[in-house]
């Protein structure tokens, strides 16, 4: 019956649930108008003991309801709805409560629990008859997800805040535990305020992991208390840094919004910036031609055969990791250039003296760095080459990120590792902007073409996997490498595209059980895009407004 | 000798003239540091009678000098230069004057004169010994161009505003009279403030024509005093409009910055929005499937066989044109869909009753609309199809815009028409963002790939033309069609890419006479990009900052 009600709603009002992103996994909605009472409030007093971050989320939700000023995307906009809204019932309040037996902890505590042990589900009921709405969950994190959904239901016109799709009955929880967005802050630097704004937008689409690629060969903006020289010499400037306080503020800001921060210090490759303070630790530092030593300039990789480098790296990673609440930490491990080590006299001498092969030494290095992270209670995360190109001994629960190609997921699964889907051929947000290396007039992006939201949205996270391998897929993320990005284009290059994977990994299939499809999704993606703009995020427009107001009129065969 | 001095400068300080864009056509510069006096001022009193817009430009230049806060893009940034700056001479002033015999008129008057009759050249001398700098020109417009160059010479560090490249001796004038940028404000709307900011950025790189594609099938934001119903029903909303006052303000703002506004009201195609108020004037209005009737949704074209439509269009165009100071006005003329008229009963009946072919009727329509524009003193501008696909009788001095392919320029020149280079395969800024029509998961941009600045920069405006045809090339422009653009991404999708053609059509060849080359250009393009950001334009970053600080280190074979 629920399904029939939804279908009716979609038939009568094509935009009936157009505001919701990601689409809840189970939803019925109606065709009745309902408006917020001028005195509308969200009641969280049943959550005991009170949680400061939940109360802040309640206040933020009430603020969004009052300030989104989001006119519905329909011909005639808000005015079109006023005839039914005038006579609509009024919603007095939304009441939050935890399920019987649930213990109230902060959102921030819940958000950083180990993958698989978080509770993000919720039930949300919005009656159409003027009785109170209710939101229940097993955790404050679930309540936060429900508040996010609730805030997407409402439009504004002429002082009225209303929906035309009451009643709502939603039972929702994510299909995958890892739904991420990766930002590279090393190719170009992003001030803390840009990261806050990005975390807000992530939370609006229920992304729960901020994969922070914080350092790379170009710069080392991370101030590490024990190793201040790394940023002092490796950052672009004394102001292009993240202080320990910045890191804690960002981690707290994220956690209060249901987001775990997965920090990555990429090793042993992508580390030329470490040579700015420790030249003795880095092989082929800024060696030329760079193309012989690295995938992009500047070349430079840690001399992992050197015991001093192993000890330094181990100490560096655990020094940072121990300050972070997440159960995950990434040591990177992508794009190791073997020639760099073949040409490095010190590395070759150390291999001869130890009798190890380069691969054996890499495995020893990784075991030492990972060992210290594991001792700090962290689960190591690596890029796919660590298991596909190198024979590194890794803990069984190591998480592997697939990036080179979507086709590699099956290979990683064949090795028995849990994996995160981050394939460049679907999820790289930076592709298609032309080549950025100099002296190359005809050069295009290495991962041309541009990865559209449609392409990301049609990604099948389980393609080519056996039934037994399916549980290995933790989720996925879209990624922004920032050779050609900085604060000036951050919002439009990321949003709303990064919302595509947020729905792929939350909703996974349509509430009716069918595959996700771009034609159903487009009106809702328009909606969340316009809402993001209303909230101060400069998300790019997807079509002429003419099309956004007329679902399907601009379809290719319309 | 001049050439040798420049080469020396480049060898000693690779970034010596890195701030100048477009590169002056004749320049010598040195390697001496020079700083602005704290009391530095620009003296324009020799320009008589005083011109208000020149005085405003002087004040704006003084403001940029004091507020750009632009650190030089070099390793160590501004601190690197301080040793030579401390002991440098101090520049007390810049004195502006007109050449003997020149008459002082306003920049705004000069900027809208007919192509070929404007004087944009100037001579600028900045001694290194502490004597005053001088700027002379034949017109206030030339003085304005010189002020723009002067403002790009200076960097700031620790309170010092300085150059390291004095003395400068520049004699400059543009290679081509038409250097444009086109913005489409019909697919999505742009507030007046966005247009002001864009005009500012255009003026910084000496672009002198704002080609304003103001209406299209999706919306009609232009309020025409005589036909208010067009915007009343055809604009996206009552606030997504340009009032007559807005138009005058924009035209004035542009002219004071040396920019002529070439307004385009596209006819007879791309006019579905006219049907919102005049359905009787439009054939195949919103007909489906749209692909049978138009290149993009919605379909809709003026019934040019109808005398009422001819009279309406003629009156509309001249009503608007007569309010504008430019000598040019575009009637569009691209992408006419013949099937739309074949299927239109009214059009077919009118052709039968008049005995005209469709092409003959199109020619009659165009002669009538152009005739009234010519009577208003305007030179008509059309897209290339009007001469290549249709046999329309046009005035000999009609200006033709080449857009479909760079290969079409020679065909237009063969017909003897003056032309503007606006080829999609080099100059379309919107390509490469993925397909935007709905229900098309694998769709990419029709003009993939992304047109990089490098591609635009290496465009040869004279390719495949005979020596006799070369004078027909008036210049060129880069263009932003806005199906996938709006205020949220305007700056990063346009800038600094649109600066590429600005230099192609101003400088044309290197000051030494060789071809422009991307490797020489990149450090200067970085510089103007960072300066744009300092002035509030969110230009996209081109490379990691690591590369921007190290010219050539990120070249493909470096």
């Amino acid at each position: 019956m629920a399904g029939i009600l939804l279908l009716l709603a979609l038939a009568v009002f094509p935009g009936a649930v157009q505001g919701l992103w990601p689409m809840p996994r189970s939803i019925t909605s109606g065709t009745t108008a309902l408006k917020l009472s001028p005195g509308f409030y969200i009641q969280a007093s049943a959550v005991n003991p009170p949680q400061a971050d939940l109360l802040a989320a309640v206040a933020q939700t009430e603020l969004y309801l009052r300030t989104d000023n989001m006119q519905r995307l329909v011909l005639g906009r808000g005015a079109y709805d006023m005839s039914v809204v005038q006579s609509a019932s009024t919603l007095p309040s939304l009441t939050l409560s935890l399920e019987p037996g649930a213990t109230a902890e902060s959102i921030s505590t819940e958000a950083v629990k180990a993958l698989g042990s978080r509770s993000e589900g919720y039930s949300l009921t919005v009656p159409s008859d003027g009785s109170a709405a209710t939101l229940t969950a097993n955790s404050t994190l679930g309540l936060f997800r429900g508040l996010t959904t609730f805030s997407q239901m409402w439009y504004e016109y002429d002082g009225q805040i209303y929906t035309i799709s009451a009643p709502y009955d939603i039972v929702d929880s994510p299909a995958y535990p890892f739904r991420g967005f990766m930002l590279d802050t090393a190719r170009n630097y992003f001030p803390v305020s840009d990261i806050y704004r990005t975390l807000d937008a992530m939370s609006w689409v229920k992304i729960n992991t901020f994969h922070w690629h914080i350092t790379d060969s170009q710069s080392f903006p991370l101030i590490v208390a024990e190793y201040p020289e790394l940023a002092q010499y490796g950052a672009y400037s004394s102001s292009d840094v993240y202080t320990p306080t910045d890191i804690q503020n960002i981690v707290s800001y994220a956690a209060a919004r249901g987001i775990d921060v997965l920090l990555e210090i990429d090793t042993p490759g992508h580390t030329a910036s470490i040579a700015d303070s420790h030249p003795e630790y880095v092989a082929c530092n800024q060696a030329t031609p760079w193309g012989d030593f690295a995938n992009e300039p500047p070349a430079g990789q840690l001399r992992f055969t050197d015991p001093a480098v192993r000890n330094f790296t181990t100490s560096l990673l655990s020094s940072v990791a121990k300050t972070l609440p997440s159960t995950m930490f990434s040591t990177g491990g992508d794009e190791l250039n073997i020639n760099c080590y073949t040409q490095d006299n010190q590395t070759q001498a150390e291999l001869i003296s130890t009798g190890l092969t380069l691969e054996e030494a890499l495995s020893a290095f990784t075991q030492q760095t990972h060992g210290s992270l594991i001792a700090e209670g962290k689960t190591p995360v690596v890029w796919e080459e660590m298991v596909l190109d190198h024979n590194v001994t890794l803990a069984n629960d190591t998480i592997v990120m697939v990036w080179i190609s979507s086709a590699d997921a099956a290979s990683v699964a064949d090795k028995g590792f849990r994996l995160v889907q981050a394939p460049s051929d679907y999820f790289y947000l930076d592709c298609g902007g032309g080549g950025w290396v100099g002296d190359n007039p005809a050069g295009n992006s290495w991962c041309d073409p541009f990865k559209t939201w449609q392409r990301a949205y049609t990604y099948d996270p389980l393609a080519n996997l056996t039934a037994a391998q399916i549980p290995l897929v933790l989720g996925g993320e879209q990624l922004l490498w920032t050779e050609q990005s900085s604060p000036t284009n951050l919002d439009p290059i990321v949003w709303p595209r990064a919302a595509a994977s947020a729905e792929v990994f939350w909703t996974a299939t349509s509430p009716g059980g069918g595959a996700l499809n771009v034609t159903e999704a487009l009106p809702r993606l328009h909606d969340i895009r316009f809402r993001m703009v209303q909230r101060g995020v400069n998300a790019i427009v997807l079509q002429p407004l003419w099309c956004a107001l007329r679902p399907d009129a601009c379809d290719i065969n319309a």
Side-chain angles (χ1 to χ4, degrees), chain A:
Chain A
M1 288 306 104
I4 291 171
L5 182 57
L6 174 67
L7 288 173
L8 276 172
L10 289 173
V12 177
F13 286 105
V17 291
Q18 72 183 18
L20 305 189
W21 193 285
M23 182 67 101
R25 295 178 76 201
S26 168
I27 176 172
T28 63
S29 62
T31 59
T32 303
L34 177 68
K35 53 194 174 192
L36 284 191
S37 164
F40 174 85
Y41 63 99
I42 300 175
Q43 176 65 262
S45 61
V47 179
N48 272 306
Q51 301 298 324
D53 54 12
L54 179 64
L55 296 176
V58 163
Q60 180 65 68
T61 304
E62 291 177 338
L63 188 65
Y64 286 146
L65 292 173
R66 297 204 170 98
T67 59
D68 274 358
N69 289 326
M70 172 79 181
Q71 284 199 47
R72 201 158 70 86
L73 290 168
V74 64
L75 260 183
R77 306 301 297 269
Y80 176 87
D81 296 327
M82 282 302 100
S83 61
V84 295
V85 169
Q86 296 307 338
S87 56
S89 294
T90 297
L91 184 68
S93 63
L94 169 66
T95 301
L96 275 50
S97 58
L98 292 177
E99 300 284 356
T103 305
E105 294 187 281
S106 66
I107 299 170
S108 304
T109 303
E110 302 278 358
V112 300
K113 288 183 174 175
L115 289 181
S117 64
R118 297 176 206 162
S119 177
E120 297 189 85
Y122 65 93
S123 299
L124 174 60
T125 302
V126 182
S128 60
D129 63 358
S131 54
T134 58
L135 171 60
T136 60
N138 271 313
S139 75
T140 55
L141 181 60
L143 293 175
F144 180 75
R145 301 296 178 220
L147 286 170
T148 300
T149 302
F150 184 80
S151 81
Q152 294 174 347
M153 294 174 170
W154 306 94
Y155 300 93
E156 192 274 346
Y157 184 74
D158 199 20
Q160 299 284 358
I161 299 166
Y162 67 94
T163 174
I164 56 160
S165 311
Y168 283 100
D169 198 352
I170 294 172
V171 180
D172 198 15
S173 63
Y176 294 87
F178 187 112
R179 305 176 308 281
F181 167 68
M182 191 215 78
L183 181 67
D184 159 15
T185 60
R187 272 59 180 255
N188 283 300
Y189 176 79
F190 293 79
V192 171
S193 59
D194 288 300
I195 295 178
Y196 283 166
R197 190 177 68 261
T198 302
L199 290 166
D200 279 326
M202 289 162 63
S203 78
W204 300 335
V205 293
K206 302 187 174 75
I207 291 175
N208 71 355
T209 310
F210 175 40
H211 174 187
W212 190 356
H213 183 88
I214 194 168
T215 62
D216 209 296
S217 275
Q218 287 79 2
S219 76
F220 200 102
L222 172 65
I223 296 183
V224 182
E226 292 85 344
Y227 300 96
E229 70 278 11
L230 289 167
Q232 184 183 349
Y233 295 97
Y236 279 138
S237 79
S238 59
S239 55
D240 291 345
V241 295
Y242 304 105
T243 68
T245 303
D246 290 336
I247 301 288
Q248 291 307 313
N249 287 343
I250 287 169
V251 166
S252 298
Y253 195 94
R257 285 153 184 79
I259 298 169
D260 191 15
V261 177
L262 165 56
L263 202 77
E264 176 188 355
I265 298 185
D266 202 352
T267 60
H270 290 272
T271 44
S273 61
I274 291 178
D276 295 336
S277 52
H278 292 281
E280 71 280 14
Y281 290 172
V282 176
C284 67
N285 178 35
Q286 301 190 28
T288 57
W290 59 260
D292 288 353
F293 299 96
N295 281 17
E296 68 180 52
Q301 304 185 156
L302 288 172
R303 288 183 168 118
F304 57 76
T305 55
D306 181 344
V309 174
R310 283 204 302 274
N311 292 338
F312 159 78
T313 309
T314 301
S315 172
L316 168 64
L317 297 179
S318 55
S319 295
V320 175
K322 75 182 182 196
T323 69
L324 303 172
S326 179
T327 62
M328 299 180 286
F329 192 92
S330 175
T331 61
D334 56 321
E335 298 187 315
L336 259 199
N337 182 295
I338 301 305
N339 183 54
C340 170
Y341 295 120
T342 305
Q343 305 288 324
D344 185 53
N345 291 338
Q346 180 182 332
T347 296
Q348 293 307 312
E350 283 160 349
L351 290 175
I352 289 166
S353 76
T354 57
L356 295 175
T357 65
L358 190 74
E359 290 295 331
E360 288 166 346
L362 178 62
S363 193
F365 169 82
T366 307
Q367 285 183 274
Q368 184 175 332
T369 58
H370 281 202
S372 77
L373 291 172
I374 293 166
E376 294 285 351
K378 308 300 183 189
T379 301
V381 179
V382 295
W383 295 110
E384 64 171 272
E385 292 100 313
M386 285 289 107
V387 299
L388 297 185
D389 294 354
H390 305 286
N391 192 21
V392 172
T393 301
L394 298 171
N396 289 338
D397 68 344
T398 303
I399 296 169
V400 178
M401 294 213 164
V402 175
W403 73 273
I404 295 174
S405 165
S406 52
D408 294 345
S411 305
V412 171
D414 285 345
K415 303 255 183 184
F417 287 102
R418 296 185 297 169
L419 62 93
V420 170
Q421 299 275 17
S424 58
D425 47 339
Y426 285 82
F427 286 166
Y428 271 29
L429 297 169
D430 50 308
C431 304
W436 59 266
V437 296
D439 197 26
N440 188 27
N444 285 320
S445 165
W446 71 270
C447 55
D448 255 354
F450 183 82
K451 304 301 175 257
T452 63
W453 76 264
Q454 296 94 324
R455 181 160 176 85
Y457 193 71
T458 52
Y459 184 63
D460 176 0
L462 305 179
N464 306 318
L465 299 180
T466 67
Q469 291 172 335
I470 286 174
L472 296 174
V473 179
L474 296 174
E477 64 180 25
Q478 284 169 277
L479 312 88
L480 183 64
W481 302 101
T482 60
E483 287 87 352
Q484 294 162 293
S485 288
S486 77
T488 61
N489 71 316
L490 175 63
D491 289 4
I493 203 169
V494 173
W495 304 111
R497 275 195 297 158
S501 65
E503 183 154 292
V504 166
F505 294 106
W506 179 285
T507 315
T509 56
S510 79
L516 296 174
N517 98 54
V518 296
T519 306
E520 183 282 325
L522 178 55
R524 291 186 297 107
L525 193 60
H526 276 306
D527 204 277
I528 190 69
R529 178 268 169 192
F530 277 85
R531 197 176 294 272
M532 285 182 171
V533 173
Q534 294 298 100
R535 293 180 184 177
V537 170
N538 281 328
I540 200 167
V541 77
L542 300 172
Q543 289 187 318
L545 182 60
W546 193 91
C547 303
L549 300 181
R550 293 167 179 83
D552 302 329
C554 295
D555 286 356
I556 191 160
N557 293 313

